[in-house]
Each structure stands twice: as C-alpha cells, then as structure tokens.
Amino acid sequence: MSDFETLLEKAKAFHGDVCPGIVMGTRMTIAGMRELSMNPMEKNHDLIVYVEIDRCATDAIQAITGVTLGHRTLKHRDYGKFAATFVDSKSGKAVRVAAIPKKGEQEQDFRAIAQKLATVPESDLFTIQKVRVNIPDEDMPGLPTHKEFCSTCGEQILDSREVNTNGLIQCKDCAFGSYYSVT
Ligand SMILES: [Zn+2]
Ligand SMILES: [Zn+2]
C-alpha cells in the first residue's frame, strides 16, 4: 500500500466510508503536513489544526493527524469553508490549505468523484498559503489558565470564555442566548 492508501484507510475507518470529502481531507492533510515538514505517517505532537467546516474532510484530518477537540489540538471555526490551517505550535509555521471549488462537470457517482479526487494534481485541488496564526494562551493545550463562575446560571466557565459586561460575568449561553431550552 502507498502512504496515500494507508492514510486514506485510516480516514475511512474513522469516518465509516470513502466519500469525496474523505479523499479531500486526506489530501489536505498530506499537503498541510508536508508544507510544515511533518510526516503524516507519524503523529506530531506540535501540530494544531484549525478546520473551517464540520463535514467529512474534518474527520479525515482528525483520523490521520490525531488532533482532537479534547486535546485542544483541533480547532473548529464555523465558516462553512472547505479549508484548514495546519500550525506547527513549536516553530510557529502555519499553512492554510483551501479547496478550489469545482466548476462545470456534474458527476453523480460519489465513488467516481472520490476516485478522480485521489489522482488529480494537488495544484488543481487546493490553494496553499503561508499564514500566521496567533494562538492565545487560553486556547493552548494544557491546564486551564482561568476559571470563572457565571453570575446568572452559576455554572463554571473555563479558559476565559466568559463574557464581561461592565463587570457582570456571564457564560455565553446566558449572555447571548442558548442553543437549547429546558423542557
Ligand atoms: Zn463522508
Ligand atoms: Zn450562565
């Protein structure tokens, strides 16, 4: 098996199937890590990845690199864009890999699309930019830097995620409205 096939297998095992997004995510990871002089076949503990979409490609990135939300090495920015930024937290080097949207041809068969995506030249798939990412201390892996209690709901808030409105400390749920309602 080629390295690409091995990595694709990893992504497939985690995601459940091989869809176009999994192939894209696998190739994004290969491109991003290569630009940081990292080997995608090995876990790199200095790698932090910002993903800009919560779709299939993100699972491939997570499965191959081993970055996770729980380790604070996977960051989600909810932009709905097929892009990810790979950061070497040691050297500060960072590279953003963004998919070039496909125009024209409308293939229906997922498998055919996935197969094609596996072989087209990388330069047809992505734009790759060198970027700078300032990761605040409260976003870094490690012990929580700061703890507060919400003055409205009383729940604890870690990592400086509280909202301070003229001295009133609240969680974002209480400050901005909730995604749930208690039944
Ligand atoms: Zn999928
Ligand atoms: Zn609250």
Side-chain angles (χ1 to χ4, degrees):
M1 254 204 280
S2 68
D3 283 2
F4 173 73
E5 285 166 331
T6 305
L7 297 173
L8 190 63
E9 274 304 311
K10 257 191 185 176
K12 179 187 169 184
F14 183 71
H15 188 61
D17 57 10
V18 173
C19 52
I22 281 296
V23 178
M24 286 293 274
T26 300
R27 296 200 61 182
M28 280 170 108
T29 308
I30 291 170
M33 290 189 78
R34 182 197 62 233
E35 294 298 314
L36 297 179
S37 310
M38 292 179 178
N39 178 4
M41 298 293 282
E42 291 165 15
K43 185 168 166 54
N44 192 301
H45 292 277
D46 298 321
L47 180 67
I48 293 179
V49 184
Y50 286 75
V51 295
E52 299 182 18
I53 198 161
D54 54 349
R55 286 191 173 275
C56 308
T58 298
D59 275 1
I61 292 169
Q62 179 168 357
I64 294 167
T65 62
V67 298
T68 70
L69 270 181
H71 286 103
R72 314 194 88 204
T73 46
L74 174 64
K75 313 288 191 191
H76 178 220
R77 295 293 178 267
D78 200 5
Y79 298 165
K81 289 167 134 184
F82 243 113
T85 297
F86 297 78
V87 186
D88 180 344
S89 61
K90 204 171 191 178
S91 70
K93 245 177 112 177
V95 64
R96 181 172 180 269
V97 183
I100 300 167
K102 299 281 158 306
K103 306 171 202 99
E105 74 213 78
Q106 290 288 323
E107 244 164 319
Q108 295 300 316
D109 180 19
F110 251 42
R111 188 165 285 213
I113 299 170
Q115 224 144 45
K116 196 179 216 176
L117 288 173
T119 52
V120 294
E122 193 180 274
S123 55
D124 290 352
L125 285 182
F126 307 124
T127 53
I128 299 177
Q129 304 162 287
K130 285 191 176 125
V131 295
R132 188 184 305 279
V133 181
N134 291 316
I135 307 176
D137 287 346
E138 62 264 27
D139 286 2
M140 288 297 288
L143 292 173
T145 49
H146 187 75
K147 297 178 188 181
E148 286 285 357
F149 285 92
C150 174
S151 58
T152 304
C153 70
E155 291 186 347
Q156 192 177 46
I157 312 151
L158 299 183
D159 303 311
S160 306
R161 266 45 171 185
E162 71 275 8
V163 181
N164 184 333
T165 313
N166 304 319
L168 179 74
I169 302 292
Q170 285 179 305
C171 69
K172 287 181 182 171
D173 217 55
C174 292
F176 302 134
S178 184
Y179 69 91
Y180 65 87
S181 55
V182 178
T183 58

